[in-house]
Amino acid sequence: MKNLKYLVIGAMLFGFTAPTFAQDDHKAVIDQLTKVIKSKAADADSQVKDLFKPYKKEADVMVAIGRAYLDVKDTVNATRYAEMAIKRDKNYGNAYVLRGDIEVAKDNGGEASAWYENATYFDPKNPEGYRRYAVVNSKTSPSASVAKLEELRKQVPDYPVDIISAEIYDKAGNIDKAIEYYEKVDKAKMDEYQLANFSLEYFLKGEFEKSLAVSQYGNSKFPKNPALNRLSFFNLTNLKRYDEALTAADALFNKSTDTKITESDYLYYGYAHLGKKNYDEAIAMFQKSIDNNTNNESDRNDALKNIAEAYKEKGDFDNATATYQKYLDGLKAKTALDLNTLAQMYMEQADAEKDEAKKKDYFMKADAIYAEMADKMPSAAEFATYQRAHIGFSLDPETKEGVAKPHYEKLIELLNAKQQKEEKDNARLVEAYRYLGYYYLLKDDKNNSNIYWNKILEIDPNNETAKQALGKK
């Protein structure tokens, strides 16, 4: 099954909290000034001057004016009022924060970081400087960002440092550190997207039980959240709790708000149905995954592979092998395991077939695959040759034609070329020698037959079959 991070949920630069810069007693004039600036009226500047006159000594009003100008992308006036505020009150941290925000707007991260640092120095109890510093440095140095937030914790102990730190590490792709900080936070205080992110981090580590515990807690609070429903669905499927997975799938597909169903959702629906042995439903869902797949080659191949598996499980070998061949055709590089799976399908089909001509045809198709494997994949040549020997014996169980003979001879060559043999190698050699000893015995070629029985005794001195063949018992 697949593990993919396509659920990206998080806050942007200023998304953690909504900063409050204005004192309540100045709110009315600040609202009016902001409205004038954002109107972009021809006489806006003169209106601002008139409204501002009574508040020339109020740093919070200056910062509010500067922020309004920044909102309309007028960084020149925004800078002017920010510097006025700093000159008026060097300890007013929000003025430094505004200067930093202006540099962010100009894409000057280093300059912004320096202004936010000043805010924490001159106004150490104001969270905004720390928070902005952490966010602007989160990509280049998440550890420095979190260290700055730890400074904030000392100044404002009840500030939500842990959840912000978790989100910083989450965006930086440091899953372990993100989890470390998420675990410090009371889940009851997390938003929907934070619970989804927390669950997703565990999911990406393959810790599906822990991921499920978080997602199901989220389900209890936010039952219509598609991200949380999706995570519960995926986790339950990976845990092979298929009945519950299908219930969770229904919640995702039919009971979530603003759900955007993806090809991955159909893919997991297929996994769950396949796990329940609902083969027709599984095939239908895997096909929907393919139909809704635009450019994810890995998922398309996965769906085809599982369709083939579903057909095989329901005993429809013709469709199973045809679909699996499509899967192989879509692979950029085939492995020995890929080829072996198709060969095994043909062998199972042969074993189930009553018609001798068809049975032989299926065995020959499997043999052709192992021949290709032995030729093109030297590291798998021994395994492929061993399988060809077994197919040869299935085609000639009475050893009349010696169909398996060339394959057992090749197997002996490959195994004896090894400098060190494992127990498995010796067992295969004994099997090959036994076949050849029996083959020559049937041909009345006692000399060659005895050569192979004696070779068996070199490996296994107490082998009863070899002793009997040599008349030693």
PDB file of all heavy atoms in Angstrom, residues 320-353:
ATOM      1  N   ALA A 320      -6.615 -12.136 -14.732  1.00  0.00           N
ATOM      2  CA  ALA A 320      -5.507 -11.871 -13.805  1.00  0.00           C
ATOM      3  C   ALA A 320      -4.192 -11.715 -14.567  1.00  0.00           C
ATOM      4  O   ALA A 320      -3.458 -10.741 -14.377  1.00  0.00           O
ATOM      5  CB  ALA A 320      -5.399 -12.995 -12.785  1.00  0.00           C
ATOM      6  N   THR A 321      -3.901 -12.678 -15.453  1.00  0.00           N
ATOM      7  CA  THR A 321      -2.624 -12.629 -16.176  1.00  0.00           C
ATOM      8  C   THR A 321      -2.602 -11.489 -17.195  1.00  0.00           C
ATOM      9  O   THR A 321      -1.573 -10.831 -17.372  1.00  0.00           O
ATOM     10  CB  THR A 321      -2.346 -13.964 -16.879  1.00  0.00           C
ATOM     11  OG1 THR A 321      -3.475 -14.323 -17.696  1.00  0.00           O
ATOM     12  CG2 THR A 321      -2.094 -15.063 -15.859  1.00  0.00           C
ATOM     13  N   ALA A 322      -3.750 -11.230 -17.830  1.00  0.00           N
ATOM     14  CA  ALA A 322      -3.804 -10.140 -18.816  1.00  0.00           C
ATOM     15  C   ALA A 322      -3.584  -8.789 -18.129  1.00  0.00           C
ATOM     16  O   ALA A 322      -2.853  -7.923 -18.637  1.00  0.00           O
ATOM     17  CB  ALA A 322      -5.153 -10.152 -19.532  1.00  0.00           C
ATOM     18  N   THR A 323      -4.201  -8.620 -16.955  1.00  0.00           N
ATOM     19  CA  THR A 323      -4.045  -7.351 -16.231  1.00  0.00           C
ATOM     20  C   THR A 323      -2.640  -7.217 -15.679  1.00  0.00           C
ATOM     21  O   THR A 323      -2.052  -6.129 -15.713  1.00  0.00           O
ATOM     22  CB  THR A 323      -5.071  -7.261 -15.079  1.00  0.00           C
ATOM     23  OG1 THR A 323      -6.383  -7.460 -15.595  1.00  0.00           O
ATOM     24  CG2 THR A 323      -5.005  -5.896 -14.407  1.00  0.00           C
ATOM     25  N   TYR A 324      -2.093  -8.311 -15.177  1.00  0.00           N
ATOM     26  CA  TYR A 324      -0.740  -8.240 -14.634  1.00  0.00           C
ATOM     27  C   TYR A 324       0.270  -7.928 -15.728  1.00  0.00           C
ATOM     28  O   TYR A 324       1.257  -7.220 -15.497  1.00  0.00           O
ATOM     29  CB  TYR A 324      -0.366  -9.537 -13.927  1.00  0.00           C
ATOM     30  CG  TYR A 324       0.800  -9.348 -12.984  1.00  0.00           C
ATOM     31  CD1 TYR A 324       0.594  -8.902 -11.686  1.00  0.00           C
ATOM     32  CD2 TYR A 324       2.110  -9.571 -13.407  1.00  0.00           C
ATOM     33  CE1 TYR A 324       1.662  -8.692 -10.826  1.00  0.00           C
ATOM     34  CE2 TYR A 324       3.183  -9.373 -12.559  1.00  0.00           C
ATOM     35  CZ  TYR A 324       2.957  -8.925 -11.268  1.00  0.00           C
ATOM     36  OH  TYR A 324       4.015  -8.704 -10.420  1.00  0.00           O
ATOM     37  N   GLN A 325       0.016  -8.408 -16.930  1.00  0.00           N
ATOM     38  CA  GLN A 325       0.902  -8.074 -18.043  1.00  0.00           C
ATOM     39  C   GLN A 325       0.848  -6.581 -18.347  1.00  0.00           C
ATOM     40  O   GLN A 325       1.872  -5.962 -18.653  1.00  0.00           O
ATOM     41  CB  GLN A 325       0.521  -8.881 -19.290  1.00  0.00           C
ATOM     42  CG  GLN A 325       1.506  -8.716 -20.440  1.00  0.00           C
ATOM     43  CD  GLN A 325       2.898  -9.193 -20.094  1.00  0.00           C
ATOM     44  OE1 GLN A 325       3.115 -10.352 -19.766  1.00  0.00           O
ATOM     45  NE2 GLN A 325       3.882  -8.279 -20.150  1.00  0.00           N
ATOM     46  N   LYS A 326      -0.337  -5.983 -18.231  1.00  0.00           N
ATOM     47  CA  LYS A 326      -0.462  -4.524 -18.400  1.00  0.00           C
ATOM     48  C   LYS A 326       0.362  -3.808 -17.336  1.00  0.00           C
ATOM     49  O   LYS A 326       1.009  -2.792 -17.611  1.00  0.00           O
ATOM     50  CB  LYS A 326      -1.925  -4.098 -18.278  1.00  0.00           C
ATOM     51  CG  LYS A 326      -2.785  -4.403 -19.480  1.00  0.00           C
ATOM     52  CD  LYS A 326      -4.183  -3.841 -19.249  1.00  0.00           C
ATOM     53  CE  LYS A 326      -5.132  -4.197 -20.377  1.00  0.00           C
ATOM     54  NZ  LYS A 326      -6.513  -3.690 -20.108  1.00  0.00           N
ATOM     55  N   TYR A 327       0.298  -4.353 -16.140  1.00  0.00           N
ATOM     56  CA  TYR A 327       1.096  -3.771 -15.049  1.00  0.00           C
ATOM     57  C   TYR A 327       2.576  -3.831 -15.387  1.00  0.00           C
ATOM     58  O   TYR A 327       3.300  -2.833 -15.250  1.00  0.00           O
ATOM     59  CB  TYR A 327       0.796  -4.516 -13.752  1.00  0.00           C
ATOM     60  CG  TYR A 327       1.843  -4.368 -12.677  1.00  0.00           C
ATOM     61  CD1 TYR A 327       2.007  -3.166 -11.999  1.00  0.00           C
ATOM     62  CD2 TYR A 327       2.678  -5.442 -12.342  1.00  0.00           C
ATOM     63  CE1 TYR A 327       2.979  -3.031 -11.007  1.00  0.00           C
ATOM     64  CE2 TYR A 327       3.647  -5.316 -11.356  1.00  0.00           C
ATOM     65  CZ  TYR A 327       3.791  -4.109 -10.693  1.00  0.00           C
ATOM     66  OH  TYR A 327       4.745  -3.970  -9.724  1.00  0.00           O
ATOM     67  N   LEU A 328       3.036  -4.990 -15.845  1.00  0.00           N
ATOM     68  CA  LEU A 328       4.448  -5.124 -16.202  1.00  0.00           C
ATOM     69  C   LEU A 328       4.830  -4.180 -17.334  1.00  0.00           C
ATOM     70  O   LEU A 328       5.913  -3.583 -17.333  1.00  0.00           O
ATOM     71  CB  LEU A 328       4.755  -6.564 -16.609  1.00  0.00           C
ATOM     72  CG  LEU A 328       4.724  -7.635 -15.508  1.00  0.00           C
ATOM     73  CD1 LEU A 328       5.048  -9.001 -16.096  1.00  0.00           C
ATOM     74  CD2 LEU A 328       5.717  -7.293 -14.397  1.00  0.00           C
ATOM     75  N   ASP A 329       3.950  -4.029 -18.297  1.00  0.00           N
ATOM     76  CA  ASP A 329       4.228  -3.158 -19.448  1.00  0.00           C
ATOM     77  C   ASP A 329       4.388  -1.702 -19.010  1.00  0.00           C
ATOM     78  O   ASP A 329       5.065  -0.914 -19.682  1.00  0.00           O
ATOM     79  CB  ASP A 329       3.109  -3.268 -20.482  1.00  0.00           C
ATOM     80  CG  ASP A 329       3.071  -4.636 -21.157  1.00  0.00           C
ATOM     81  OD1 ASP A 329       4.086  -5.356 -21.073  1.00  0.00           O
ATOM     82  OD2 ASP A 329       2.024  -4.978 -21.737  1.00  0.00           O
ATOM     83  N   GLY A 330       3.756  -1.337 -17.904  1.00  0.00           N
ATOM     84  CA  GLY A 330       3.832   0.044 -17.423  1.00  0.00           C
ATOM     85  C   GLY A 330       5.034   0.339 -16.552  1.00  0.00           C
ATOM     86  O   GLY A 330       5.274   1.496 -16.201  1.00  0.00           O
ATOM     87  N   LEU A 331       5.783  -0.690 -16.200  1.00  0.00           N
ATOM     88  CA  LEU A 331       6.950  -0.495 -15.348  1.00  0.00           C
ATOM     89  C   LEU A 331       8.163  -0.047 -16.159  1.00  0.00           C
ATOM     90  O   LEU A 331       8.420  -0.572 -17.233  1.00  0.00           O
ATOM     91  CB  LEU A 331       7.298  -1.792 -14.616  1.00  0.00           C
ATOM     92  CG  LEU A 331       6.271  -2.335 -13.616  1.00  0.00           C
ATOM     93  CD1 LEU A 331       6.790  -3.636 -13.005  1.00  0.00           C
ATOM     94  CD2 LEU A 331       5.968  -1.322 -12.524  1.00  0.00           C
ATOM     95  N   LYS A 332       8.888   0.909 -15.612  1.00  0.00           N
ATOM     96  CA  LYS A 332      10.110   1.353 -16.286  1.00  0.00           C
ATOM     97  C   LYS A 332      11.218   0.313 -16.144  1.00  0.00           C
ATOM     98  O   LYS A 332      12.068   0.178 -17.012  1.00  0.00           O
ATOM     99  CB  LYS A 332      10.551   2.694 -15.690  1.00  0.00           C
ATOM    100  CG  LYS A 332       9.608   3.843 -16.021  1.00  0.00           C
ATOM    101  CD  LYS A 332      10.084   5.138 -15.404  1.00  0.00           C
ATOM    102  CE  LYS A 332       9.130   6.289 -15.759  1.00  0.00           C
ATOM    103  NZ  LYS A 332       9.522   7.553 -15.102  1.00  0.00           N
ATOM    104  N   ALA A 333      11.192  -0.387 -15.035  1.00  0.00           N
ATOM    105  CA  ALA A 333      12.180  -1.442 -14.805  1.00  0.00           C
ATOM    106  C   ALA A 333      11.498  -2.575 -14.050  1.00  0.00           C
ATOM    107  O   ALA A 333      10.865  -2.346 -13.024  1.00  0.00           O
ATOM    108  CB  ALA A 333      13.367  -0.906 -14.008  1.00  0.00           C
ATOM    109  N   LYS A 334      11.623  -3.786 -14.571  1.00  0.00           N
ATOM    110  CA  LYS A 334      10.994  -4.950 -13.940  1.00  0.00           C
ATOM    111  C   LYS A 334      11.994  -5.624 -13.008  1.00  0.00           C
ATOM    112  O   LYS A 334      13.180  -5.712 -13.308  1.00  0.00           O
ATOM    113  CB  LYS A 334      10.526  -5.937 -14.999  1.00  0.00           C
ATOM    114  CG  LYS A 334       9.533  -5.386 -16.008  1.00  0.00           C
ATOM    115  CD  LYS A 334       9.171  -6.445 -17.040  1.00  0.00           C
ATOM    116  CE  LYS A 334       8.290  -5.874 -18.147  1.00  0.00           C
ATOM    117  NZ  LYS A 334       9.014  -4.897 -18.985  1.00  0.00           N
ATOM    118  N   THR A 335      11.499  -6.112 -11.887  1.00  0.00           N
ATOM    119  CA  THR A 335      12.321  -6.887 -10.959  1.00  0.00           C
ATOM    120  C   THR A 335      12.024  -8.369 -11.136  1.00  0.00           C
ATOM    121  O   THR A 335      11.031  -8.756 -11.762  1.00  0.00           O
ATOM    122  CB  THR A 335      12.032  -6.489  -9.506  1.00  0.00           C
ATOM    123  OG1 THR A 335      10.686  -6.896  -9.176  1.00  0.00           O
ATOM    124  CG2 THR A 335      12.171  -4.989  -9.305  1.00  0.00           C
ATOM    125  N   ALA A 336      12.891  -9.192 -10.565  1.00  0.00           N
ATOM    126  CA  ALA A 336      12.650 -10.635 -10.598  1.00  0.00           C
ATOM    127  C   ALA A 336      11.342 -10.981  -9.897  1.00  0.00           C
ATOM    128  O   ALA A 336      10.605 -11.878 -10.330  1.00  0.00           O
ATOM    129  CB  ALA A 336      13.815 -11.364  -9.935  1.00  0.00           C
ATOM    130  N   LEU A 337      11.033 -10.246  -8.836  1.00  0.00           N
ATOM    131  CA  LEU A 337       9.784 -10.489  -8.113  1.00  0.00           C
ATOM    132  C   LEU A 337       8.577 -10.211  -9.005  1.00  0.00           C
ATOM    133  O   LEU A 337       7.582 -10.958  -8.983  1.00  0.00           O
ATOM    134  CB  LEU A 337       9.726  -9.617  -6.855  1.00  0.00           C
ATOM    135  CG  LEU A 337       8.482  -9.762  -5.982  1.00  0.00           C
ATOM    136  CD1 LEU A 337       8.343 -11.194  -5.470  1.00  0.00           C
ATOM    137  CD2 LEU A 337       8.527  -8.780  -4.813  1.00  0.00           C
ATOM    138  N   ASP A 338       8.660  -9.137  -9.807  1.00  0.00           N
ATOM    139  CA  ASP A 338       7.562  -8.815 -10.729  1.00  0.00           C
ATOM    140  C   ASP A 338       7.320  -9.961 -11.705  1.00  0.00           C
ATOM    141  O   ASP A 338       6.182 -10.392 -11.919  1.00  0.00           O
ATOM    142  CB  ASP A 338       7.880  -7.534 -11.521  1.00  0.00           C
ATOM    143  CG  ASP A 338       7.958  -6.299 -10.644  1.00  0.00           C
ATOM    144  OD1 ASP A 338       7.176  -6.202  -9.688  1.00  0.00           O
ATOM    145  OD2 ASP A 338       8.804  -5.435 -10.927  1.00  0.00           O
ATOM    146  N   LEU A 339       8.393 -10.448 -12.311  1.00  0.00           N
ATOM    147  CA  LEU A 339       8.264 -11.531 -13.283  1.00  0.00           C
ATOM    148  C   LEU A 339       7.801 -12.823 -12.616  1.00  0.00           C
ATOM    149  O   LEU A 339       6.988 -13.567 -13.174  1.00  0.00           O
ATOM    150  CB  LEU A 339       9.596 -11.751 -13.991  1.00  0.00           C
ATOM    151  CG  LEU A 339      10.085 -10.605 -14.890  1.00  0.00           C
ATOM    152  CD1 LEU A 339      11.468 -10.924 -15.444  1.00  0.00           C
ATOM    153  CD2 LEU A 339       9.110 -10.354 -16.030  1.00  0.00           C
ATOM    154  N   ASN A 340       8.320 -13.079 -11.425  1.00  0.00           N
ATOM    155  CA  ASN A 340       7.944 -14.306 -10.716  1.00  0.00           C
ATOM    156  C   ASN A 340       6.451 -14.343 -10.414  1.00  0.00           C
ATOM    157  O   ASN A 340       5.819 -15.407 -10.497  1.00  0.00           O
ATOM    158  CB  ASN A 340       8.740 -14.420  -9.419  1.00  0.00           C
ATOM    159  CG  ASN A 340       8.408 -15.680  -8.659  1.00  0.00           C
ATOM    160  OD1 ASN A 340       8.563 -16.785  -9.169  1.00  0.00           O
ATOM    161  ND2 ASN A 340       7.929 -15.524  -7.435  1.00  0.00           N
ATOM    162  N   THR A 341       5.874 -13.182 -10.084  1.00  0.00           N
ATOM    163  CA  THR A 341       4.450 -13.139  -9.768  1.00  0.00           C
ATOM    164  C   THR A 341       3.616 -13.592 -10.958  1.00  0.00           C
ATOM    165  O   THR A 341       2.666 -14.380 -10.805  1.00  0.00           O
ATOM    166  CB  THR A 341       4.035 -11.716  -9.343  1.00  0.00           C
ATOM    167  OG1 THR A 341       4.770 -11.344  -8.169  1.00  0.00           O
ATOM    168  CG2 THR A 341       2.540 -11.655  -9.028  1.00  0.00           C
ATOM    169  N   LEU A 342       3.956 -13.098 -12.156  1.00  0.00           N
ATOM    170  CA  LEU A 342       3.209 -13.508 -13.347  1.00  0.00           C
ATOM    171  C   LEU A 342       3.426 -14.993 -13.642  1.00  0.00           C
ATOM    172  O   LEU A 342       2.471 -15.720 -13.969  1.00  0.00           O
ATOM    173  CB  LEU A 342       3.628 -12.666 -14.555  1.00  0.00           C
ATOM    174  CG  LEU A 342       2.889 -12.968 -15.862  1.00  0.00           C
ATOM    175  CD1 LEU A 342       1.382 -12.801 -15.707  1.00  0.00           C
ATOM    176  CD2 LEU A 342       3.414 -12.073 -17.000  1.00  0.00           C
ATOM    177  N   ALA A 343       4.643 -15.448 -13.513  1.00  0.00           N
ATOM    178  CA  ALA A 343       4.931 -16.864 -13.760  1.00  0.00           C
ATOM    179  C   ALA A 343       4.146 -17.753 -12.797  1.00  0.00           C
ATOM    180  O   ALA A 343       3.580 -18.781 -13.196  1.00  0.00           O
ATOM    181  CB  ALA A 343       6.430 -17.123 -13.616  1.00  0.00           C
ATOM    182  N   GLN A 344       4.075 -17.344 -11.533  1.00  0.00           N
ATOM    183  CA  GLN A 344       3.331 -18.119 -10.544  1.00  0.00           C
ATOM    184  C   GLN A 344       1.841 -18.148 -10.870  1.00  0.00           C
ATOM    185  O   GLN A 344       1.166 -19.160 -10.639  1.00  0.00           O
ATOM    186  CB  GLN A 344       3.553 -17.541  -9.146  1.00  0.00           C
ATOM    187  CG  GLN A 344       4.944 -17.783  -8.589  1.00  0.00           C
ATOM    188  CD  GLN A 344       5.212 -19.250  -8.309  1.00  0.00           C
ATOM    189  OE1 GLN A 344       4.369 -19.965  -7.794  1.00  0.00           O
ATOM    190  NE2 GLN A 344       6.405 -19.711  -8.673  1.00  0.00           N
ATOM    191  N   MET A 345       1.321 -17.043 -11.413  1.00  0.00           N
ATOM    192  CA  MET A 345      -0.083 -17.035 -11.837  1.00  0.00           C
ATOM    193  C   MET A 345      -0.330 -18.092 -12.919  1.00  0.00           C
ATOM    194  O   MET A 345      -1.316 -18.837 -12.870  1.00  0.00           O
ATOM    195  CB  MET A 345      -0.476 -15.653 -12.369  1.00  0.00           C
ATOM    196  CG  MET A 345      -0.704 -14.605 -11.312  1.00  0.00           C
ATOM    197  SD  MET A 345      -1.273 -13.047 -12.064  1.00  0.00           S
ATOM    198  CE  MET A 345      -1.399 -12.008 -10.604  1.00  0.00           C
ATOM    199  N   TYR A 346       0.584 -18.162 -13.884  1.00  0.00           N
ATOM    200  CA  TYR A 346       0.440 -19.162 -14.952  1.00  0.00           C
ATOM    201  C   TYR A 346       0.544 -20.579 -14.388  1.00  0.00           C
ATOM    202  O   TYR A 346      -0.174 -21.492 -14.816  1.00  0.00           O
ATOM    203  CB  TYR A 346       1.487 -18.948 -16.034  1.00  0.00           C
ATOM    204  CG  TYR A 346       1.152 -17.840 -17.009  1.00  0.00           C
ATOM    205  CD1 TYR A 346       2.013 -16.770 -17.219  1.00  0.00           C
ATOM    206  CD2 TYR A 346      -0.044 -17.872 -17.737  1.00  0.00           C
ATOM    207  CE1 TYR A 346       1.702 -15.756 -18.119  1.00  0.00           C
ATOM    208  CE2 TYR A 346      -0.357 -16.863 -18.640  1.00  0.00           C
ATOM    209  CZ  TYR A 346       0.510 -15.812 -18.829  1.00  0.00           C
ATOM    210  OH  TYR A 346       0.191 -14.822 -19.715  1.00  0.00           O
ATOM    211  N   MET A 347       1.432 -20.771 -13.412  1.00  0.00           N
ATOM    212  CA  MET A 347       1.572 -22.097 -12.830  1.00  0.00           C
ATOM    213  C   MET A 347       0.328 -22.500 -12.036  1.00  0.00           C
ATOM    214  O   MET A 347      -0.116 -23.651 -12.086  1.00  0.00           O
ATOM    215  CB  MET A 347       2.831 -22.141 -11.953  1.00  0.00           C
ATOM    216  CG  MET A 347       4.123 -22.072 -12.768  1.00  0.00           C
ATOM    217  SD  MET A 347       5.612 -21.866 -11.779  1.00  0.00           S
ATOM    218  CE  MET A 347       5.755 -23.499 -11.055  1.00  0.00           C
ATOM    219  N   GLU A 348      -0.258 -21.534 -11.306  1.00  0.00           N
ATOM    220  CA  GLU A 348      -1.507 -21.824 -10.592  1.00  0.00           C
ATOM    221  C   GLU A 348      -2.627 -22.137 -11.584  1.00  0.00           C
ATOM    222  O   GLU A 348      -3.460 -23.021 -11.346  1.00  0.00           O
ATOM    223  CB  GLU A 348      -1.903 -20.637  -9.719  1.00  0.00           C
ATOM    224  CG  GLU A 348      -1.056 -20.458  -8.473  1.00  0.00           C
ATOM    225  CD  GLU A 348      -1.542 -19.307  -7.614  1.00  0.00           C
ATOM    226  OE1 GLU A 348      -2.755 -19.262  -7.319  1.00  0.00           O
ATOM    227  OE2 GLU A 348      -0.716 -18.442  -7.247  1.00  0.00           O
ATOM    228  N   GLN A 349      -2.640 -21.388 -12.681  1.00  0.00           N
ATOM    229  CA  GLN A 349      -3.642 -21.631 -13.715  1.00  0.00           C
ATOM    230  C   GLN A 349      -3.464 -23.022 -14.319  1.00  0.00           C
ATOM    231  O   GLN A 349      -4.448 -23.735 -14.580  1.00  0.00           O
ATOM    232  CB  GLN A 349      -3.537 -20.557 -14.799  1.00  0.00           C
ATOM    233  CG  GLN A 349      -4.682 -20.558 -15.798  1.00  0.00           C
ATOM    234  CD  GLN A 349      -4.632 -19.363 -16.737  1.00  0.00           C
ATOM    235  OE1 GLN A 349      -3.610 -18.679 -16.827  1.00  0.00           O
ATOM    236  NE2 GLN A 349      -5.724 -19.094 -17.416  1.00  0.00           N
ATOM    237  N   ALA A 350      -2.218 -23.414 -14.510  1.00  0.00           N
ATOM    238  CA  ALA A 350      -1.939 -24.748 -15.061  1.00  0.00           C
ATOM    239  C   ALA A 350      -2.397 -25.834 -14.092  1.00  0.00           C
ATOM    240  O   ALA A 350      -3.004 -26.835 -14.494  1.00  0.00           O
ATOM    241  CB  ALA A 350      -0.446 -24.881 -15.348  1.00  0.00           C
ATOM    242  N   ASP A 351      -2.124 -25.643 -12.811  1.00  0.00           N
ATOM    243  CA  ASP A 351      -2.513 -26.639 -11.814  1.00  0.00           C
ATOM    244  C   ASP A 351      -4.030 -26.814 -11.748  1.00  0.00           C
ATOM    245  O   ASP A 351      -4.525 -27.916 -11.460  1.00  0.00           O
ATOM    246  CB  ASP A 351      -1.986 -26.231 -10.437  1.00  0.00           C
ATOM    247  CG  ASP A 351      -0.475 -26.384 -10.326  1.00  0.00           C
ATOM    248  OD1 ASP A 351       0.098 -27.179 -11.098  1.00  0.00           O
ATOM    249  OD2 ASP A 351       0.129 -25.689  -9.478  1.00  0.00           O
ATOM    250  N   ALA A 352      -4.764 -25.709 -12.004  1.00  0.00           N
ATOM    251  CA  ALA A 352      -6.227 -25.764 -11.909  1.00  0.00           C
ATOM    252  C   ALA A 352      -6.873 -26.248 -13.213  1.00  0.00           C
ATOM    253  O   ALA A 352      -8.067 -26.573 -13.229  1.00  0.00           O
ATOM    254  CB  ALA A 352      -6.772 -24.380 -11.553  1.00  0.00           C
ATOM    255  N   GLU A 353      -6.091 -26.300 -14.298  1.00  0.00           N
ATOM    256  CA  GLU A 353      -6.644 -26.627 -15.612  1.00  0.00           C
ATOM    257  C   GLU A 353      -6.768 -28.148 -15.814  1.00  0.00           C
ATOM    258  O   GLU A 353      -5.866 -28.907 -15.469  1.00  0.00           O
ATOM    259  CB  GLU A 353      -5.745 -26.033 -16.702  1.00  0.00           C
ATOM    260  CG  GLU A 353      -6.233 -26.247 -18.117  1.00  0.00           C
ATOM    261  CD  GLU A 353      -7.626 -25.717 -18.363  1.00  0.00           C
ATOM    262  OE1 GLU A 353      -7.822 -24.496 -18.169  1.00  0.00           O
ATOM    263  OE2 GLU A 353      -8.496 -26.523 -18.725  1.00  0.00           O
TER     264      GLU A 353
END
